[in-house]
Amino acid sequence: MGRSIRKRPTFPRRMTMAAAALFIGGGGLVAVNVYASASDDPGKAQVRAAPVRNVSTIDCPDVSNSLPDVPDSARPEVDRELAAIDTQITDAYEKFASDKDRVDRDPGYGQQVVLDPLKEKRTASLDRIAGAVGRGGGQQPQGMQGLAPCTLRADDSGGGGQGAAQAAGQAQGQDQWQNQSGQGQNQGQGQQGQGQGQGQGAGGQAQGVGNGPAKSDFVDIRSVQPNVRTPRTQRNGSTGLFTSSCGVNQNAKRNPDNVIVAPGVSNGAHHMHDYVGNQANDAFASDADLANGGTSCRNQGDKSTYYWPVIRLQNGQNENDANADGGGKDKNVGKIQTPAQVTIKFAGNPVSKVTAMPRFLRIITGDAKAFTNGNANANASWSCTGFENRQLKDKYPICPQGSKVVRTFNFQSCWDGKNTDSANHRTHVAFAGKSGACPRGFKAIPQLQQRIVYAVPPGPGFAVDSFPEQLHKPVTDHGDFINVFSDQLMRKAVTCINTGRSCA
């Protein structure tokens, strides 16, 4: 099944932006207005800045989710440019971090030394993306230059995912739904962390590098109200489970690549990934490489690749990647923690039978840039053993003595029936609605559910790896999957799920 062109909105030639980024600094609230009127050149948005103190990161418009049609022939060049844009932000953040005191004192310096050079590089990349799409036969994207300017912003409370114009403390719980296996399911707008940040500080990242997490990123799980609910299983629902045992990455297969988002680009993720399942996965792995690769899964018919950002202890101890890409060079420091347990299950749908996943189907759940992008694609779920009816989206849990930290990834379970991937790696799959039904035009497939447990010390002191400008916020947690089941094993899994049995 091919990766055909996916339709997404194009930009008008004249864009209007009216955005106010609210910076929370030691001296209070300062607004920076970024605008481009209908009569302005959208590539030359005007920035008017009052003095800013204690800004903490760089906030750039997301390009990948704003692209129009991307023809198959243009995908490689577009993917390379998107990876280059990520590197540009990483480099700009390094410059910002090294000169932060001066930037705090002199916003004009930050504009001149950090933001203007970044805008120039992004403009060139956006031009190349537009050219690649046009040469591939797609509609030439318009108004892309409106995505070039970035801003400096503060950490609005440590909660993450709310956008620069939303003040701290917006931590209101919403229901999550879980399917019949009992694991929480985040739906789009999802769950906000409840309660106030607690603990004695976050340790290594904040003390050593200065890019998070903050103590306000943590909350005692006992202060969170139960928020998981289960959709009712209907007569035609599929209630079975298929489990694949693939280990906990005992062999420490890790790299900072992402073959889905940045194929052919070393360090495309700018953070370290844990891998279970397929052992051939790196930035350069083709579908054939994955099909021929080894697997850590007990059932050798499952050569799928399952990967997620590592968790590190923030106790001042360095990992052996302290001076490497994805590690210390990208502001990810601390001792990597091997999971105590990894459970991989494929569940059914509460209202219908499921159909087989196509081989090499790619699914990304969550958003690695949710701190700056907002919650639209965030799907993080943090909890503690014994408290998994309470799920957190934008807070790390403080677990009581004897309880372990749990990350849950409930992947999209509806497929468009045509494509194994899409230009933004999202629109070919979708989440089911609150009732469990798939959107019109999509069909139910087995839902991948990953539950990853860590025996970390109680209290704050751990963090998920992230892009450096994302400040290790819990809302940026995400998981990646490429289906490399054998056809025979996929048929077995679908039959088990549709007949209400539990199989492995």
Side-chain angles (χ1 to χ4, degrees):
M1 305 211 177
R3 304 185 191 177
S4 67
I5 295 175
R6 299 291 299 156
K7 293 285 186 180
R8 270 176 292 149
T10 58
F11 286 87
R13 290 182 181 273
R14 296 287 185 181
M15 297 180 66
T16 299
M17 284 194 309
L22 300 187
F23 291 146
I24 303 170
L29 203 62
V30 179
V32 175
N33 293 314
V34 181
Y35 68 91
S37 71
S39 61
D40 290 331
D41 181 345
K44 297 181 179 178
Q46 303 298 309
V47 177
R48 295 175 180 171
V52 172
R53 284 183 283 176
N54 200 28
V55 296
S56 60
T57 197
I58 297 172
D59 192 344
C60 297
D62 186 76
V63 176
S64 62
N65 285 324
S66 303
L67 290 175
D69 306 345
V70 178
D72 284 348
S73 61
R75 290 275 182 87
E77 184 174 356
V78 170
D79 284 341
R80 286 194 300 271
E81 288 300 331
L82 291 173
I85 286 171
D86 286 340
T87 299
Q88 291 161 11
I89 299 172
T90 298
D91 292 344
Y93 180 86
E94 176 66 30
K95 180 63 177 174
F96 156 74
S98 67
D99 289 342
K100 184 179 183 304
D101 289 344
R102 186 168 178 182
V103 172
D104 286 343
R105 295 192 306 268
D106 182 1
Y109 178 78
Q111 183 73 39
Q112 179 181 3
V113 174
V114 178
L115 297 181
D116 287 346
L118 177 58
K119 178 183 175 182
E120 183 178 348
K121 293 176 182 178
R122 286 170 64 87
T123 297
S125 287
L126 291 166
D127 284 343
R128 288 190 288 268
I129 287 173
V133 171
R135 289 191 299 274
Q139 180 181 354
Q140 189 83 12
Q142 303 295 322
M144 292 282 287
Q145 297 311 317
L147 302 174
C150 301
T151 60
L152 296 175
R153 60 169 282 189
D155 174 357
D156 338 315
S157 82
Q162 297 305 301
Q166 190 165 340
Q170 301 285 326
Q172 300 173 350
Q174 298 179 13
D175 283 344
Q176 297 175 318
W177 68 268
Q178 65 176 17
N179 59 28
Q180 49 268 49
S181 72
Q183 301 299 327
Q185 167 73 29
N186 262 315
Q187 283 294 100
Q189 298 306 311
Q191 164 71 22
Q192 297 295 320
Q194 300 183 33
Q196 300 299 316
Q198 300 181 22
Q200 293 74 44
Q205 300 283 1
Q207 294 174 7
V209 181
N211 73 325
K215 67 179 181 180
S216 56
D217 291 320
F218 292 81
V219 64
D220 190 326
I221 194 67
R222 292 169 294 188
S223 71
V224 180
Q225 295 300 309
N227 52 33
V228 175
R229 64 185 181 88
T230 307
R232 180 180 301 175
T233 300
Q234 300 182 19
R235 179 179 299 177
N236 293 326
S238 43
T239 59
L241 280 175
F242 182 85
T243 301
S244 190
S245 299
C246 300
V248 296
N249 197 23
Q250 307 96 308
N251 59 334
K253 176 173 176 56
R254 302 183 180 109
N255 63 49
D257 302 340
N258 192 327
V259 72
I260 297 177
V261 175
V265 179
S266 295
N267 194 33
H270 295 276
H271 52 263
M272 201 63 65
H273 284 129
D274 261 330
Y275 291 84
V276 300
N278 202 290
Q279 299 296 290
N281 192 346
D282 62 19
F284 306 95
S286 65
D287 287 351
D289 292 331
L290 296 175
N292 295 321
T295 179
S296 68
C297 299
R298 184 177 302 166
N299 191 321
Q300 294 293 294
D302 183 7
K303 293 188 177 183
S304 302
T305 178
Y306 310 88
Y307 57 107
W308 53 82
V310 301
I311 280 181
R312 299 178 192 251
L313 286 186
Q314 306 303 300
N315 58 5
Q317 297 182 7
N318 284 329
E319 189 57 74
N320 58 13
D321 65 351
N323 297 309
D325 288 340
K329 283 188 176 180
D330 288 303
K331 301 291 189 289
N332 294 300
V333 301
K335 202 71 175 173
I336 293 175
Q337 299 300 288
T338 299
Q341 181 184 5
V342 174
T343 304
I344 294 173
K345 295 181 179 180
F346 293 85
N349 183 282
V351 302
S352 70
K353 305 303 182 187
V354 298
T355 191
M357 289 180 176
R359 206 162 194 228
F360 305 115
L361 175 69
R362 288 150 162 80
I363 309 179
I364 296 172
T365 199
D367 184 0
K369 301 174 185 175
F371 176 58
T372 54
N373 284 349
N375 279 349
N377 293 310
N379 192 23
S381 286
W382 296 89
S383 191
C384 302
T385 55
F387 298 87
E388 289 176 71
N389 63 341
R390 313 171 191 201
Q391 294 288 326
L392 295 163
K393 182 174 187 174
D394 63 358
K395 302 287 183 185
Y396 292 115
I398 299 174
C399 301
Q401 191 72 36
S403 177
K404 296 181 174 67
V405 171
V406 181
R407 301 161 78 183
T408 302
F409 297 119
N410 290 300
F411 282 66
Q412 295 90 316
S413 58
C414 303
W415 171 51
D416 69 4
K418 301 174 184 177
N419 302 294
T420 58
D421 199 3
S422 49
N424 66 353
H425 314 293
R426 296 186 186 277
T427 52
H428 63 297
V429 290
F431 286 105
K434 290 184 178 181
S435 70
C438 286
R440 181 174 298 181
F442 287 76
K443 56 183 67 177
I445 55 174
Q447 185 190 36
L448 171 59
Q449 303 170 346
Q450 293 175 179
R451 179 176 178 268
I452 310 169
V453 181
Y454 295 86
V456 297
F462 66 91
V464 68
D465 265 24
S466 74
F467 287 95
E469 79 281 358
Q470 298 300 311
L471 307 185
H472 304 277
K473 296 300 181 184
V475 75
T476 65
D477 203 11
H478 57 282
D480 301 78
F481 166 69
I482 303 176
N483 170 44
V484 199
F485 270 50
S486 67
D487 291 342
Q488 180 181 2
L489 187 61
M490 180 56 68
R491 286 193 296 269
K492 176 183 177 181
V494 168
T495 299
C496 286
I497 292 168
N498 285 339
T499 56
R501 294 183 291 136
S502 293
C503 307

